[in-house]
Coordinates of all heavy atoms in Angstrom, one line a residue:
G1 N -9.9 10.5 7.5 CA -9.8 11.5 6.5 C -10.8 11.3 5.4 O -11.1 10.1 5.1
R2 N -11.3 12.3 4.7 CA -12.3 12.2 3.8 C -11.9 11.5 2.5 O -12.7 11.0 1.7 CB -12.9 13.6 3.4 CG -13.5 14.3 4.6 CD -14.1 15.6 4.1 NE -13.1 16.5 3.5 CZ -13.4 17.6 2.9 NH1 -14.6 17.9 2.7 NH2 -12.4 18.3 2.3
T3 N -10.6 11.5 2.2 CA -10.2 11.0 0.9 C -9.8 9.5 0.9 O -9.3 9.0 -0.1 CB -8.9 11.8 0.4 OG1 -7.9 11.7 1.4 CG2 -9.3 13.3 0.3
F4 N -10.1 8.8 2.0 CA -9.7 7.4 2.0 C -10.3 6.6 0.9 O -9.6 5.8 0.2 CB -10.0 6.8 3.4 CG -9.8 5.3 3.4 CD1 -8.5 4.8 3.6 CD2 -10.8 4.4 3.2 CE1 -8.3 3.4 3.6 CE2 -10.6 3.0 3.3 CZ -9.3 2.5 3.5
G5 N -11.6 6.9 0.7 CA -12.3 6.1 -0.3 C -11.8 6.3 -1.7 O -12.1 5.5 -2.6
N6 N -11.0 7.4 -2.0 CA -10.5 7.7 -3.3 C -9.0 7.3 -3.4 O -8.4 7.6 -4.5 CB -10.6 9.2 -3.5 CG -12.1 9.7 -3.6 OD1 -12.9 8.9 -4.0 ND2 -12.3 10.9 -3.1
A7 N -8.5 6.8 -2.3 CA -7.0 6.5 -2.3 C -6.7 5.1 -2.7 O -7.3 4.2 -2.1 CB -6.5 6.9 -1.0
G8 N -5.7 4.9 -3.5 CA -5.1 3.6 -3.6 C -4.3 3.3 -2.3 O -3.7 4.3 -1.8
M9 N -4.3 2.1 -1.9 CA -3.6 1.8 -0.6 C -2.6 0.7 -0.8 O -2.7 -0.2 -1.7 CB -4.6 1.3 0.4 CG -5.7 2.3 0.7 SD -5.1 3.7 1.6 CE -4.5 3.0 3.1
G10 N -1.5 0.8 -0.1 CA -0.5 -0.2 -0.2 C 0.1 -0.6 1.1 O 0.0 0.1 2.1
W11 N 0.8 -1.8 1.1 CA 1.6 -2.3 2.2 C 3.0 -2.4 1.7 O 3.3 -3.0 0.7 CB 1.1 -3.6 2.7 CG -0.2 -3.6 3.5 CD1 -1.5 -3.8 3.0 CD2 -0.4 -3.3 4.9 NE1 -2.4 -3.7 4.0 CE2 -1.8 -3.4 5.2 CE3 0.5 -3.0 5.9 CZ2 -2.2 -3.1 6.5 CZ3 0.0 -2.7 7.2 CH2 -1.3 -2.8 7.5
F12 N 3.9 -1.9 2.5 CA 5.3 -2.0 2.3 C 6.0 -2.6 3.6 O 5.3 -2.6 4.6 CB 6.0 -0.7 2.0 CG 5.6 -0.1 0.6 CD1 4.4 0.4 0.4 CD2 6.5 -0.2 -0.4 CE1 4.0 0.9 -0.9 CE2 6.2 0.3 -1.7 CZ 4.9 0.8 -1.9
R13 N 7.2 -3.1 3.4 CA 7.9 -3.6 4.6 C 9.3 -3.3 4.5 O 9.9 -3.1 3.4 CB 7.7 -5.2 4.8 CG 8.3 -6.0 3.7 CD 7.9 -7.5 3.8 NE 8.5 -8.3 2.8 CZ 8.3 -9.6 2.7 NH1 7.4 -10.2 3.5 NH2 8.9 -10.3 1.7
Q14 N 9.9 -3.2 5.7 CA 11.4 -2.9 5.8 C 12.0 -3.8 6.8 O 11.6 -3.7 8.0 CB 11.6 -1.5 6.0 CG 13.1 -1.1 5.9 CD 13.3 0.4 5.9 OE1 12.4 1.2 6.2 NE2 14.4 0.9 5.4
A15 N 12.9 -4.6 6.4 CA 13.7 -5.5 7.4 C 15.0 -4.7 7.8 O 15.4 -3.8 7.0 CB 14.0 -6.8 6.7
P16 N 15.6 -5.1 8.9 CA 16.8 -4.4 9.3 C 17.9 -4.5 8.3 O 18.2 -5.6 7.7 CB 17.2 -5.2 10.6 CG 15.9 -5.7 11.1 CD 15.1 -6.0 9.9
G17 N 18.5 -3.3 8.0 CA 19.6 -3.3 7.0 C 19.1 -3.4 5.5 O 20.0 -3.4 4.7
K18 N 17.8 -3.4 5.3 CA 17.3 -3.5 3.9 C 16.5 -2.3 3.6 O 16.0 -1.6 4.4 CB 16.6 -4.8 3.8 CG 17.4 -6.1 3.9 CD 16.6 -7.3 3.6 CE 17.4 -8.6 3.6 NZ 16.7 -9.8 3.2
E19 N 16.3 -2.1 2.3 CA 15.4 -1.0 1.8 C 14.0 -1.4 2.0 O 13.6 -2.6 2.0 CB 15.7 -0.7 0.3 CG 17.1 -0.1 0.1 CD 17.3 0.3 -1.3 OE1 16.4 0.1 -2.1 OE2 18.4 0.9 -1.6
R20 N 13.1 -0.4 2.0 CA 11.7 -0.7 2.1 C 11.2 -1.3 0.8 O 11.6 -0.8 -0.3 CB 10.9 0.7 2.3 CG 9.5 0.5 2.6 CD 8.9 1.8 3.1 NE 9.5 2.3 4.3 CZ 9.1 3.3 5.1 NH1 7.9 3.9 4.7 NH2 9.7 3.6 6.2
E21 N 10.4 -2.3 0.9 CA 10.0 -3.0 -0.4 C 8.5 -3.1 -0.4 O 7.8 -3.2 0.6 CB 10.6 -4.4 -0.4 CG 10.2 -5.4 0.6 CD 10.7 -6.8 0.4 OE1 11.3 -7.0 -0.7 OE2 10.4 -7.7 1.2
F22 N 8.0 -3.1 -1.6 CA 6.6 -3.3 -1.9 C 6.1 -4.7 -1.5 O 6.8 -5.7 -1.8 CB 6.3 -3.0 -3.4 CG 4.9 -3.4 -3.8 CD1 3.8 -2.7 -3.5 CD2 4.7 -4.6 -4.6 CE1 2.5 -3.0 -3.9 CE2 3.5 -4.9 -5.0 CZ 2.4 -4.2 -4.7
V23 N 4.9 -4.8 -0.9 CA 4.3 -6.0 -0.5 C 3.0 -6.3 -1.3 O 2.8 -7.3 -2.0 CB 4.0 -6.1 1.0 CG1 3.3 -7.4 1.3 CG2 5.3 -6.0 1.8
A24 N 2.1 -5.3 -1.2 CA 0.8 -5.5 -1.8 C 0.1 -4.1 -2.0 O 0.4 -3.2 -1.2 CB -0.1 -6.4 -1.0
A25 N -0.8 -4.0 -2.9 CA -1.6 -2.8 -3.1 C -3.0 -3.1 -3.6 O -3.2 -4.2 -4.1 CB -0.8 -1.9 -4.1
I26 N -3.9 -2.1 -3.4 CA -5.3 -2.3 -3.8 C -5.8 -0.9 -4.3 O -5.5 0.1 -3.7 CB -6.1 -2.8 -2.6 CG1 -7.5 -3.2 -3.0 CG2 -6.1 -1.9 -1.4 CD1 -8.2 -4.1 -2.0
S27 N -6.6 -1.0 -5.3 CA -7.1 0.2 -5.9 C -8.2 0.8 -5.0 O -8.7 0.1 -4.0 CB -7.7 0.0 -7.3 OG -8.8 -1.0 -7.2
W28 N -8.7 2.0 -5.3 CA -9.6 2.7 -4.4 C -10.9 1.9 -4.3 O -11.6 1.9 -3.2 CB -9.9 4.1 -4.9 CG -10.7 4.2 -6.2 CD1 -10.2 4.2 -7.4 CD2 -12.1 4.2 -6.3 NE1 -11.2 4.2 -8.4 CE2 -12.4 4.2 -7.7 CE3 -13.2 4.2 -5.5 CZ2 -13.7 4.2 -8.2 CZ3 -14.5 4.2 -5.9 CH2 -14.7 4.2 -7.3
S29 N -11.3 1.2 -5.3 CA -12.6 0.5 -5.3 C -12.4 -0.9 -4.8 O -13.4 -1.6 -4.4 CB -13.1 0.4 -6.7 OG -12.3 -0.4 -7.5
G30 N -11.1 -1.4 -4.7 CA -10.9 -2.7 -4.3 C -11.0 -3.7 -5.4 O -10.7 -4.9 -5.3
G31 N -11.2 -3.2 -6.6 CA -11.4 -4.0 -7.8 C -10.1 -4.6 -8.3 O -10.1 -5.6 -9.1
N32 N -9.0 -3.9 -8.0 CA -7.7 -4.3 -8.5 C -6.7 -4.5 -7.3 O -6.6 -3.6 -6.5 CB -7.1 -3.3 -9.5 CG -7.9 -3.3 -10.8 OD1 -8.0 -4.2 -11.5 ND2 -8.6 -2.1 -11.0
T33 N -6.1 -5.7 -7.3 CA -5.1 -5.9 -6.2 C -3.8 -6.3 -6.9 O -3.8 -6.9 -8.0 CB -5.6 -7.0 -5.3 OG1 -5.8 -8.2 -6.0 CG2 -6.8 -6.6 -4.5

């Protein structure tokens, strides 16, 4: 998709019986994690 370079990206995880939780994220430029 064309907008990947403009998108902030994140990783989340979900264990059985638990809510989805934030793991890590990175800004569109990669300058902020």
Side-chain angles (χ1 to χ4, degrees):
R2 296 184 302 170
T3 60
F4 173 79
N6 296 325
M9 301 295 295
W11 286 97
F12 287 75
R13 66 186 181 187
Q14 187 166 18
K18 295 187 176 182
E19 294 186 353
R20 190 169 299 190
E21 66 172 355
F22 168 75
V23 176
I26 188 167
S27 62
W28 68 271
S29 68
N32 293 295
T33 60

